[in-house]
Structures are given as structure tokens and as C-alpha cells.
Amino acid sequence: MALSAIFEAFSLTSEVPLLGAVRGGLAAVLYHLTYSVLFLAMGIGLWRAQRWGYQLVLIGTLLYTIDKALYLTNRESMEADMLHQIGGHGEVWQLIDKGSVLQLMSLATVLFVASWWGFALFTYIRRDYFSSGKSERGEAKE
């Protein structure tokens, strides 16, 4: 989670696909900042076995799922993201099928969301670990 937070922090000004377009500026900064803070907080909470860390995993999973569901249901966002990814190389479309690429992007997105839910399920199964917490020195509470 900490690495994801760092990656998001370094991507603050990178454009993101939102609501039918690839957006930069304040929207992109807020998007990346939200995920960066969320990932950092989750990482700290999980590392320290805090109950709020477990709760943040569930909140983060829900937020990520909504974000990606909006992405998947908005073909314009997907197409804009795809065009953004290939940059100025429009000739690529003459070599590949746009529909196939969109299907692959959709499949990858669904698999990432499923992975998040798998991790959330794992933390749910191990929820007793988080209810015990750890002391400031890293020792389990009695």
C-alpha cells in the first residue's frame, strides 16, 4: 500500500480518465491525492493492525469499485484513455482492432477490481487480527 501511495503521489499531475474524457489539472491532482492518502492510511493501518486499517480497506475497495464501475460503463472514458495511452500514434488503429483492445482493457479492469475484493475478503477473514491491534512498540495487546 505504501508503494501505491508513493506511485500516486508521483503521478499527481498525470491525467486520468474521468466522466468521458481524460482530465488533467485540479481534477487529476485531487484524484491522485485522494488515492495517495487512502493508500498511505491503509498501509499504516494494516501494518499496525489497527481496526481502522481494516475498515479503510473496505472503504478503499468500495471507492475503487465505484471508480472502475464508472469507467467501465462510460465507453467514452475508455476510448479517451486508450487514445491517451497510445499518444500521437494514430496509425496503431490501422494495425489493431479497437473493440478487442477495449475488451482487454475491460477484462483487466474487472480483474483488478476482483483482486481488490479478494484482498478485502482476506482482511475480513483475518479481522480478529485487526481487532486486537498492536501497542506503540509493536507488541500485541493482551
Side-chain angles (χ1 to χ4, degrees):
M1 290 297 166
L3 290 175
S4 294
I6 291 168
F7 178 75
E8 287 292 333
F10 280 115
S11 302
L12 279 180
T13 58
S14 297
E15 296 176 329
V16 292
L18 286 172
L19 306 172
V22 176
R23 304 190 190 279
L26 183 60
V29 170
L30 290 174
Y31 181 92
H32 290 297
L33 192 59
T34 299
Y35 274 113
S36 184
V37 169
L38 179 64
F39 291 153
L40 182 61
M42 277 194 288
I44 291 169
L46 292 173
W47 185 266
R48 298 192 65 209
Q50 299 296 311
R51 183 150 185 82
W52 54 264
Y54 158 69
Q55 292 168 343
L56 278 179
V57 168
L58 298 179
I59 291 167
T61 301
L62 184 60
L63 178 66
Y64 187 78
T65 301
I66 292 168
D67 179 27
K68 295 308 171 189
L70 289 172
Y71 175 75
L72 287 172
T73 57
N74 191 329
R75 188 171 175 95
E76 293 84 24
S77 282
M78 292 183 69
E79 288 180 5
D81 185 34
M82 187 171 45
L83 289 171
H84 178 70
Q85 295 295 328
I86 64 165
H89 303 287
E91 65 276 2
V92 169
W93 294 126
Q94 296 172 1
L95 303 173
I96 58 174
D97 177 38
K98 186 172 158 182
S100 296
V101 173
L102 287 174
Q103 285 181 333
L104 285 173
M105 289 173 60
S106 297
L107 178 61
T109 302
V110 168
L111 290 175
F112 274 104
V113 171
S115 297
W116 267 85
W117 279 102
F119 184 66
L121 178 63
F122 172 76
T123 59
Y124 175 77
I125 291 168
R126 298 290 312 258
R127 67 189 174 278
D128 290 341
Y129 171 75
F130 298 103
S131 63
S132 65
K134 289 184 180 180
S135 69
E136 292 300 314
R137 296 187 321 216
E139 301 165 354
K141 290 182 181 176
E142 309 226 352

